[in-house]
Amino acid sequence: MFQALLITKPESGYRCELAQLDEAQLPASGDVTVRVDYSTINYKDGLAITGRSPVVRSFPMVPGIDFAGAVTHSDHPRWKAGDRVLLNGFGVGETHWGGLSQMARVKGDWLVALPETLSEREAMSLGTAGYTAMLCVQALQKHWAEAGVAAGSGEVLVTGAGGGVGSVAISLLAGLGHTVVASTGRPQEADYLRSLGAASVIDRAELSAPGKPLQKERWIGVVDSVGSHTLANACASTRYGGAVAACGLAQGMDLPASVAPFILRGITLYGIDSVMAPMARREAAWDALAKTIHREQLAAITKEISLADALAAGPEILAGQVRGRLVVNLKA
Ligand code: NDP
């Protein structure tokens, strides 16, 4: 028997609770069984735990879009018992039982080998949020390399700065030598954001209201986890030839923008998806995270919680109350 969060949808409504499960109940469609050591709470996990948005498509469901642990049994040619692995996305925690569980059975094709220099806990301190931040940073780096833009030649904006994607993005960009401007709705977290490497901190209210189609040119690049007017304003204030990596919708899914920054300033908007990203891109992102992440900053970003605590963490992350990353310790 093992512990997991279990989502059911009885006639009385949507429920997510702590449950005792048997290994025989794990999905038959998987070919690798994993002992999960750590999982995390991402924004999407908050949606699944609370039922606020229909991310869970079949019931009963174990939530948790990511995990790290060790293979206990494998019918997949790539994996054997004892291999250290991690997983992000592929519908795990949405359409296939996920990582907020001490055991998981998944498709071997979805697994990534845990980089040797990362512990299971560090991997999940980063989690899907950190991996997505790296996908954003890599898109910007490729763009800057092609455009001949050097680190330190201008400011880079990170929105949703106090959240998981934002916190890791600041640390990564500052580590690469960029001048990072952090946009947050939590001015009380300014010292925390500076400790991650932000050169300055702005109030997110400067970006969240409807703005002009073209604004003063400021950013050589942007990592945006917020969407809506914030993303539109970020595009409108990106410098000629600069780039914006859009990955989130914390403010909204809409994009009330104009084509002006694209056709008059030649800016580029990169869409970042972590869920179905090809395996080579995932491995490159995790490899880069293992090589470049600042361990002390990662520790400062992380708060460890139990599986039982994860129930309360769902509404907290949706309310924008979580600072950095929540890592869930599943070790018995
Ligand atoms: P978090 O909740 O940790 O961070 C989101 C941050 O956005 C908050 O901490 C807050 O930062 C800011 N925010 C919240 N509400 C608002 C609002 N109404 N207006 C403006 N800013 C707001 O979530 P994650 O970092 O885990 O994820 C961020 C976003 O990225 C989510 O939308 C998530 O769904 C998406 N995502 C997408 C992925 C992909 O594959 N494309 C993968 C992972 C995440 P502050 O208080 O500092 O302002």
Side-chain angles (χ1 to χ4, degrees), residues 158-316:
V158 174
T159 66
V165 173
S167 294
V168 178
I170 293 168
S171 173
L172 292 172
L173 288 162
L176 289 165
H178 288 285
T179 308
V180 181
V181 177
S183 165
T184 184
R186 290 178 278 182
Q188 70 275 18
E189 299 295 0
D191 287 345
Y192 161 76
L193 298 169
R194 285 200 182 90
S195 77
L196 299 181
S200 56
V201 178
I202 62 171
D203 187 332
R204 77 183 188 201
E206 288 183 32
L207 293 161
S208 59
K212 290 184 184 158
L214 279 179
Q215 299 167 27
K216 187 168 178 287
E217 291 180 61
R218 186 159 180 195
W219 324 113
I220 59 166
V222 178
V223 172
D224 177 63
S225 61
V226 170
S228 192
H229 291 294
T230 299
L231 176 55
N233 286 323
C235 290
S237 49
T238 293
R239 272 165 50 173
Y240 192 96
V244 178
C247 71
L249 41 62
Q251 184 182 1
M253 204 189 249
D254 56 331
L255 178 51
S258 88
V259 297
F262 302 95
I263 63 174
L264 298 176
R265 291 184 182 159
I267 76 151
T268 302
L269 178 58
Y270 291 96
I272 303 299
D273 169 58
S274 69
V275 179
M276 300 307 291
M279 191 48 75
R281 200 172 299 159
R282 287 167 192 266
E283 288 171 341
W286 277 106
D287 188 48
L289 283 167
K291 285 187 181 129
T292 58
I293 193 67
H294 189 303
R295 308 284 160 146
E296 278 169 32
Q297 288 175 356
L298 185 60
I301 286 170
T302 306
K303 182 181 167 199
E304 184 174 313
I305 61 171
S306 69
L307 190 57
D309 296 334
L311 287 168
E316 280 168 23

Side-chain angles (χ1 to χ4, degrees), residues 26-43:
L26 289 170
S29 56
D31 51 11
V32 179
T33 308
V34 179
R35 184 202 69 225
V36 179
D37 292 332
Y38 290 95
S39 183
T40 78
I41 302 294
N42 296 280
Y43 191 86

